[in-house]
Amino acid sequence: MRVLSVAAEIFPYVKVGGLGDVMAALPKALRRLGVDVRVMLPGYPVLQESLAGLEPVKAYADLMQAGPARILLGEAEGGVPIYLLDHPGLFAEEAGPYDDWDQAHRRFAALSWAAADLAREGEAHGWKADILHAHDWPAGLAPAYLALGPEPRPCSLMTIHNIAYQGNFSPSVLGEVWLPPEAYAVEGAEFMGRLSFLKAGLHFADRLGTVSPTYAWEVQQPGGGRGLEGLLAQRSRDFSGILNGIDTEVWDPATDPHLLVDFDASSLDRRVLDTAALRMELGLEENPVAPLFGVVSRMEAIKGLDLILPNLEHLVELGAQFALVGSGDPNLEKAFLQAADRHPGRIAVRIGYNEGLAHRMYAGADVLMVPSRSEPCGLTQMYAFRYGCLPLVRRTGGLADTVVDAEDHDGNGFLFGPEDPWDLGQAIDRACAVYRGNQTWWREMQARGMALDHSWDISARRYIDLFQEMMDHG
Ligand code: ADP
């Protein structure tokens, strides 16, 4: 079974969010189970510099009227073969993957076109794909190019990692992305008067997927699919929700090089040393009886961090502490920084992306808050489980699929429902009450969370079943 997985990010080289983690870990897990999966990515300078043994395997005189391009084959950490689209006209600049919006349609159309071509026609060594797996809108046109091109062709699977990001462009760019005019139709790539890369993928792919069962249901509900709910409901029989896993080698408190002290479920007592170290790193007061609430997040509206702000004073009054690492919306950044100024030693805020600090937060905080308005899968709550940190989350998407409330049998965290600061406040109160009043209960929940198996092996097997079904039935 040969699978070409196409995306715009891969950890540790280019990572904006959870997709980067998935692109590194899922292929590794699939390869361990015997699938010949390879990843296709844009040839960002950082990838060209970092990947081992790059060699050209395909060349184009021109791609998307932006000049010549080549496909290079190399290898990522962990031995996963990577195809890079080396296109100096489109990927020469060092920028975030989604930064250059003026060129975004051509950049990702080129990636998708070359991926479809490689999957169908093969490369210099003769490798071609049985299945093209497109991830999110940057790869959305690949299923379209396949479906609109000659037969026979590989099957295609379009996975939505976040339906909020759709890659919608002016229809005037249609000719620039090598789509035939008839593709711009309601039964095609047209979406509310725009050319939508995600809609194209969802229309033309043979099968559709997303990253948790609850999110698969949510995006089919009125308003839940950002305008795409009708199409998704119509295609619900082709649509699966497979929960993401986590890379249990990268995320292992027993071996994590970012931590001061390693620990596992049998040596959980050592964890307090990581909590103390985190407090020191962030300038928080040493106070072992103060529950430490943490956040590791992009600071975007969808993450619901604004629901935390009105609770910060209350949290401090309760004698708790709060720490955040993240970046994004400048207004949110400012509001959290102001709260930290008001409560030095009790609230600490670090603006920016800091991989090491993120690991230390999971290992040191008592509670990880994820108040997302919408969360397709969410990885941070799964990292929190593994590091003995109890997640406090909104009941949505993958958060609802992974966290069980303390009140329930087998509880391993705290859930709240409505998008309301008051409801979040109630959950904070409950977490503080258990932490202060019943450490035995707390310990039991930590142990349950740490015992969960969120490794990729389980989800990778589900992908293999789906791939097999696609190959059997098209
Ligand atoms: P999303 O993809 O919507 O950002 P996920 O929960 O799926 O949300 O993935 C977030 C990933 O990004 C996790 O690996 C998390 O640790 C990481 N992350 C988010 N913000 C930061 C930050 N400021 N510093 C380090 N890592 C971060």
Side-chain angles (χ1 to χ4, degrees):
M1 188 185 282
R2 290 159 305 175
V3 180
L4 184 64
S5 207
V6 190
E9 305 177 30
I10 188 167
F11 175 83
Y13 315 101
V14 188
K15 169 173 159 178
V16 175
L19 173 61
D21 291 1
V22 173
M23 292 311 297
L26 175 58
K28 262 203 284 182
L30 287 168
R31 288 186 75 82
R32 270 199 301 270
L33 295 170
V35 179
D36 181 2
V37 57
R38 303 180 177 201
V39 178
M40 174 121 183
L41 295 156
Y44 304 120
V46 59
L47 284 171
Q48 305 244 17
E49 286 152 23
S50 315
L51 297 189
L54 286 170
E55 51 151 338
V57 292
K58 219 168 165 75
Y60 304 101
D62 174 70
L63 201 50
M64 298 298 142
Q65 281 91 37
R70 297 182 305 171
I71 298 181
L72 310 176
L73 174 61
E75 211 175 84
E77 271 176 21
V80 175
I82 307 281
Y83 291 109
L84 284 190
L85 179 60
D86 174 30
H87 196 317
L90 293 175
F91 296 114
E93 296 296 317
E94 197 66 80
Y98 316 111
D99 283 352
D100 184 2
W101 198 250
D102 285 346
Q103 287 301 320
H105 61 287
R106 281 214 279 188
R107 298 177 103 192
F108 296 116
L111 175 72
S112 299
W113 194 94
D117 181 57
L118 168 60
R120 178 168 35 214
E121 306 297 335
E123 35 84 305
H125 300 298
W127 193 89
K128 53 171 95 165
D130 303 305
I131 289 166
L132 185 149
H133 187 179
H135 299 268
D136 269 354
W137 73 266
L141 292 191
Y145 295 127
L146 279 181
L148 296 166
E151 299 282 343
R153 64 166 179 88
C155 310
S156 60
L157 168 65
M158 178 81 230
T159 289
I160 307 165
H161 292 263
N162 195 330
I163 203 148
Y165 307 113
Q166 303 181 337
N168 298 334
F169 300 93
S170 160
S172 63
V173 306
L174 195 69
E176 286 175 43
V177 299
W178 293 3
L179 278 178
E182 60 273 20
Y184 186 69
V186 175
E187 294 288 309
E190 190 270 342
F191 179 54
M192 299 188 182
R194 314 269 285 163
L195 168 67
S196 171
F197 280 33
L198 182 62
K199 161 88 187 298
L202 296 176
H203 175 80
F204 286 106
D206 301 308
R207 296 294 179 100
L208 313 179
T210 190
V211 290
S212 70
T214 295
Y215 194 63
W217 180 84
E218 286 172 352
V219 295
Q220 295 179 55
Q221 305 312 305
R226 305 257 176 162
L228 292 165
E229 50 267 29
L231 168 60
L232 291 169
Q234 206 185 334
R235 297 206 59 192
S236 64
R237 291 178 60 188
D238 299 330
F239 188 23
S240 348
I242 302 179
L243 206 61
N244 283 334
I246 59 173
D247 188 325
T248 48
E249 284 167 24
V250 174
W251 298 95
D252 183 357
T255 56
D256 192 327
H258 297 293
L259 308 190
L260 179 67
V261 176
D262 293 339
F263 62 89
D264 61 20
S266 66
S267 58
L268 200 52
D269 287 339
R270 291 158 61 84
R271 191 176 187 276
V272 291
L273 300 171
D274 285 303
T275 305
L278 178 65
R279 285 197 163 103
M280 199 176 290
E281 177 176 356
L282 296 174
L284 291 170
E285 289 163 9
E286 179 50 34
N287 180 355
V289 295
L292 174 51
F293 288 75
V295 169
V296 180
S297 181
R298 293 184 296 116
M299 299 175 83
E300 305 299 339
I302 206 158
K303 293 291 183 184
L305 301 185
D306 53 303
L307 304 177
I308 297 178
L309 281 170
N311 280 298
L312 285 178
E313 302 295 327
H314 179 57
L315 217 138
V316 169
E317 277 162 21
L318 286 172
Q321 296 181 342
F322 176 80
L324 174 147
V325 56
S327 63
D329 178 344
N331 291 326
L332 275 177
E333 290 182 357
K334 198 166 133 206
F336 277 103
L337 284 169
Q338 283 170 345
D341 282 346
R342 282 197 303 278
H343 299 287
R346 311 291 290 276
I347 295 182
V349 172
R350 294 289 179 273
I351 300 300
Y353 187 91
N354 186 331
E355 191 71 33
L357 179 54
H359 286 240
R360 291 188 288 280
M361 290 276 270
Y362 303 123
D366 297 299
V367 178
L368 183 85
M369 296 166 101
V370 196
S372 306
R373 295 200 151 75
S374 160
E375 192 62 76
C377 176
L379 296 173
T380 62
Q381 82 280 13
M382 297 199 260
Y383 300 146
F385 280 137
R386 193 152 162 80
Y387 283 66
C389 180
L390 299 193
L392 186 163
V393 307
R394 219 188 124 240
R395 188 180 282 107
T396 182
L399 299 171
D401 289 329
T402 49
V403 180
V404 181
D405 191 79
E407 300 294 332
D408 296 331
H409 177 65
D410 282 349
N412 54 26
F414 301 90
L415 284 152
F416 70 101
E419 288 177 30
D420 188 319
W422 190 83
D423 288 276
L424 170 57
Q426 295 286 99
I428 292 172
D429 287 349
R430 290 198 293 126
C432 284
V434 180
Y435 186 84
R436 291 252 169 72
N438 196 336
Q439 269 294 316
T440 310
W441 186 3
W442 193 273
R443 284 294 189 117
E444 280 169 15
M445 290 201 282
Q446 281 182 304
R448 270 188 223 121
M450 292 183 86
L452 293 172
D453 183 359
H454 282 299
S455 71
W456 265 106
D457 277 2
I458 297 166
S459 302
R461 283 177 209 281
R462 297 210 48 207
Y463 274 104
I464 292 174
D465 290 345
L466 176 60
F467 293 153
Q468 194 58 55
E469 207 183 297
M470 289 167 67
M471 285 169 65
D472 292 344
H473 304 292

